[in-house]
Amino acid sequence: MILGRVYGSVVSTHKLESLVGNKFMLVQCIENNKLIDKYLVAVDGVGAGIGEDVIIAQGSSARMGMRNPNAPVDALIVGILDEKQV
């Protein structure tokens, strides 16, 4: 799993049928409790908003979270971070 902060949204008017109805978010990755210069486009599975810290699943776990094993999804926001302790 990856931690990140929602940086913005990504709009796509044309997409595969398996992705219709999903919201895409641009997420800046967090490592060692700091934002780094790495970004992901992730499907929003939880209704995250811009500026929120989120938990992202990748790979087959992302597809399973979409409830569609054939969806071409590599990153899925699966949680909104309420608190983190270091």
Side-chain angles (χ1 to χ4, degrees), residues 17-65:
E17 185 67 31
S18 59
L19 297 175
V20 171
N22 291 294
K23 185 169 74 170
F24 295 93
M25 304 302 279
L26 183 61
V27 180
Q28 187 173 8
C29 295
I30 297 173
E31 286 184 9
N32 298 318
N33 211 29
K34 294 183 177 148
L35 291 168
I36 62 169
D37 194 25
K38 178 180 176 186
Y39 295 84
L40 297 172
V41 174
V43 173
D44 185 6
V46 296
I50 294 173
E52 290 188 298
D53 289 346
V54 294
I55 303 167
I56 299 171
Q58 285 193 298
S60 62
S61 297
R63 283 191 303 282
M64 289 171 43

Side-chain angles (χ1 to χ4, degrees), residues 66-85:
M66 292 275 301
R67 296 180 189 92
N68 182 352
N70 297 318
V73 173
D74 186 54
L76 175 69
I77 298 173
V78 296
I80 298 171
L81 221 56
D82 292 322
E83 178 181 336
K84 57 185 170 196
Q85 297 179 8

